[in-house]
Amino acid sequence: MTGHANGSSNLTVVIKLGTSSIVDEKTREPILSNLTLIVETAARLRKDGHRVIIVSSGAIGVGLRRMDEDERPKHLPRKQALAAVGQCRLMSLWDSLFEHLRIPVAQILLTRNDIADRIQYTNAQNTFSELLDMGVVPIVNENDTLAVAEIKFGDNDTLSAITAAMVKADYLFLMTDVDCLYTANPRNDPSAKPIEVVSDISSLRADVSTSGSALGTGGMGTKIVAARLATSAGVTTVITRSSKPGNIHEIVSYLQKVREDPDAASALAPPPLHTRFLPAETPIHSRSFWLLHGLTPHGNLYIDSGAYAALLKKASLLPAGVVAVDGHFGQQEAVRLFVVEKRSATALDGDFPSHAEEPKEVGRALVNYGSKEIDLIKGARSSHIRTILGYADSEYVALRENIAFFIESEISSGSASPALR
């Protein structure tokens, strides 16, 4: 599988298209002119030796048109039925357009359940790799026909970031209805200035946003979250205008020339307007990314600062370091990790955690015991586990290889981050 951008001419490019890029908001008709430009852009990238993946929304939007319905339904079974109708027609459309250029495509439908198991996650990576080696353009979408809230990615921006991390992409393009991020909403603030490069996503102000479309589920906020996920995995993430798909090829070509010869930048024509989120200097490993973003946490573990310090030094989590448990979860399920100051046993009897403590969420863990068992052994020595539970599957609540942490700057700012230590 292609590595991250490192001067090699063979790059992996993931292009995420929202519903408003594919389906007209008023007529619900596919925007054939835009789709054709996207196909031509993918073909140009492939001609340059790059590999292309498209994350395509639009199944429900296309389903609405096919069934002559005016509004996106709120009832889940209706949404899923429309997605089933629309996905079939959407893939037929992509296949037909790419066939004109003799480029094969493949459909990949995902839910969180499909990557929650480590083996399945690895299998998905292998499938992507094989398809790209075969010269196929994978078309990825969330499996809206079956997905319920618990296993949904929430939006295709998040799905595209997880896909980009899975395939170790060099670039993730998030296509939207503006050229780039602005310091304010350019639609109603003439003083808004473009933000061309973002090296620290946590420094972005909360008011950097634009409104989303009526058909889609994501706005600019979901794109910033997606950029946070992708850049943590070493993927350069770009926001640019969806109505100008040719921008993708121009931006990739420009960045490639600058990477090969930094001094050439001044002589080159500037690329189309876009916002580029720079990748993390030390990208996280695939397994750590999976722990944070492939799994849905089912509860919370509160650990003391001493245990946290030991974990940062690569130790595993002992029951002695666990202060409290919240939620109901089973063995080998994911939980959120919070750090709190250790308190006496009597202080733990009340409502936990108290508002005064403000526990800091620091990461995720895959636990060796369920919530009931951990609640019984918390604060105890490992040698006492068998006495307390009657058995001892492990001396650890969680192994270090099954724990992943956010970076310090994100923890202190209180934002949920995909970037890991």
Side-chain angles (χ1 to χ4, degrees):
M1 199 168 284
T2 304
H4 298 301
N6 54 13
S8 168
S9 60
N10 303 118
L11 307 174
T12 300
V13 180
V14 177
I15 302 169
K16 185 270 171 180
L17 304 163
T19 300
S20 58
S21 303
I22 295 169
V23 180
D24 185 278
E25 286 190 50
K26 294 181 180 177
T27 67
R28 303 293 196 267
E29 295 282 359
I31 308 174
L32 292 176
S33 57
N34 208 30
L35 294 175
T36 302
L37 287 172
I38 291 159
V39 170
E40 290 175 352
T41 296
R44 290 180 70 191
L45 289 167
R46 284 165 50 86
K47 191 174 182 180
D48 288 347
H50 307 319
R51 292 135 64 101
V52 179
I53 295 172
I54 292 175
V55 178
S56 169
S57 303
I60 294 177
V62 172
L64 286 169
R65 175 69 184 90
R66 178 68 183 86
M67 301 307 296
D68 292 320
E69 296 191 15
D70 293 328
E71 294 184 4
R72 185 184 179 99
K74 295 180 180 178
H75 191 44
L76 180 61
R78 190 74 172 185
K79 285 182 186 177
Q80 293 176 323
L82 287 169
V85 172
Q87 186 63 33
C88 178
R89 293 179 69 88
L90 184 62
M91 274 309 301
S92 176
L93 186 58
W94 281 121
D95 189 43
S96 174
L97 291 171
F98 273 103
E99 175 60 25
H100 290 299
L101 299 177
R102 300 186 62 80
I103 297 174
V105 300
Q107 174 178 255
I108 296 183
L109 297 175
L110 293 173
T111 67
R112 281 199 181 276
N113 265 7
D114 297 317
I115 61 172
D117 179 81
R118 181 63 185 167
I119 294 175
Q120 287 179 253
Y121 185 86
T122 304
N123 285 344
Q125 286 181 306
N126 293 338
T127 299
F128 273 116
S129 183
E130 194 67 27
L131 286 169
L132 293 171
D133 287 346
M134 291 166 61
V136 175
V137 173
I139 310 288
V140 184
N141 196 359
E142 179 150 31
N143 192 353
D144 289 319
T145 303
L146 300 176
V148 293
E150 290 78 11
I151 61 172
K152 284 180 72 66
F153 292 99
D155 58 81
N156 273 8
D157 292 322
T158 299
L159 173 59
S160 70
I162 290 175
T163 300
M166 287 175 71
V167 302
K168 298 180 172 63
D170 299 280
Y171 292 103
L172 167 62
F173 281 86
L174 301 172
M175 311 304 286
T176 184
D177 53 1
V178 292
D179 292 303
C180 61
L181 285 182
Y182 289 85
T183 53
N185 192 331
R187 291 171 176 164
N188 52 35
D189 188 344
S191 66
K193 292 181 173 58
I195 300 172
E196 297 186 32
V197 178
V198 177
S199 57
D200 179 11
I201 297 180
S202 63
S203 67
L204 285 176
R205 298 204 322 269
D207 58 354
V208 177
S209 64
T210 60
S211 57
S213 71
L215 279 179
T217 58
M220 195 59 74
T222 64
K223 288 170 179 57
I224 293 173
V225 170
R228 195 189 299 276
L229 264 67
T231 54
S232 75
V235 182
T236 299
T237 305
V238 177
I239 287 175
T240 193
R241 187 177 286 275
S242 59
S243 60
K244 299 177 182 177
N247 285 0
I248 298 170
H249 183 264
E250 290 185 52
I251 293 167
V252 169
S253 298
Y254 173 85
L255 294 176
Q256 197 172 7
K257 289 173 183 174
V258 171
R259 185 176 298 109
E260 292 169 354
D261 182 8
D263 296 331
S266 58
L268 295 171
L273 195 58
H274 66 280
T275 294
R276 186 166 74 259
F277 297 86
L278 302 183
E281 292 182 6
T282 53
I284 62 177
H285 297 297
S286 174
R287 182 176 179 80
S288 293
F289 189 92
W290 169 73
L291 283 168
L292 275 186
H293 307 297
L295 302 173
T296 300
H298 293 278
N300 305 326
L301 271 192
Y302 298 89
I303 63 175
D304 63 49
S305 54
Y308 180 45
L311 293 175
L312 295 180
K313 294 176 182 176
K314 305 302 181 184
S316 294
L317 179 60
L318 295 164
V322 178
V323 178
V325 185
D326 183 35
H328 300 281
F329 51 87
Q331 190 177 32
Q332 295 302 310
E333 287 193 325
V335 298
R336 302 175 190 86
L337 276 185
F338 291 84
V339 175
V340 295
E341 290 303 316
K342 194 162 187 175
R343 300 185 294 171
S344 66
T346 53
L348 290 174
D349 292 337
D351 181 38
F352 186 85
S354 69
H355 295 295
E357 284 188 325
E358 295 183 359
K360 293 186 299 185
E361 184 177 3
V362 294
R364 298 282 188 273
L366 204 61
V367 291
N368 292 330
Y369 295 95
S371 52
K372 291 182 180 178
E373 289 76 20
I374 296 176
D375 193 43
L376 290 172
I377 63 175
K378 67 179 186 289
R381 291 180 177 273
S382 295
S383 57
H384 296 165
I385 293 177
R386 185 175 297 277
T387 302
I388 297 170
L389 299 181
Y391 68 95
D393 283 346
S394 171
E395 63 180 303
Y396 302 110
V397 170
L399 297 173
R400 185 59 185 84
E401 67 186 41
N402 289 332
I403 299 172
F405 290 113
F406 303 128
I407 60 173
E408 286 294 335
S409 62
E410 298 296 337
I411 294 169
S412 58
S413 68
S415 58
S417 166
L420 302 184
R421 172 174 293 278

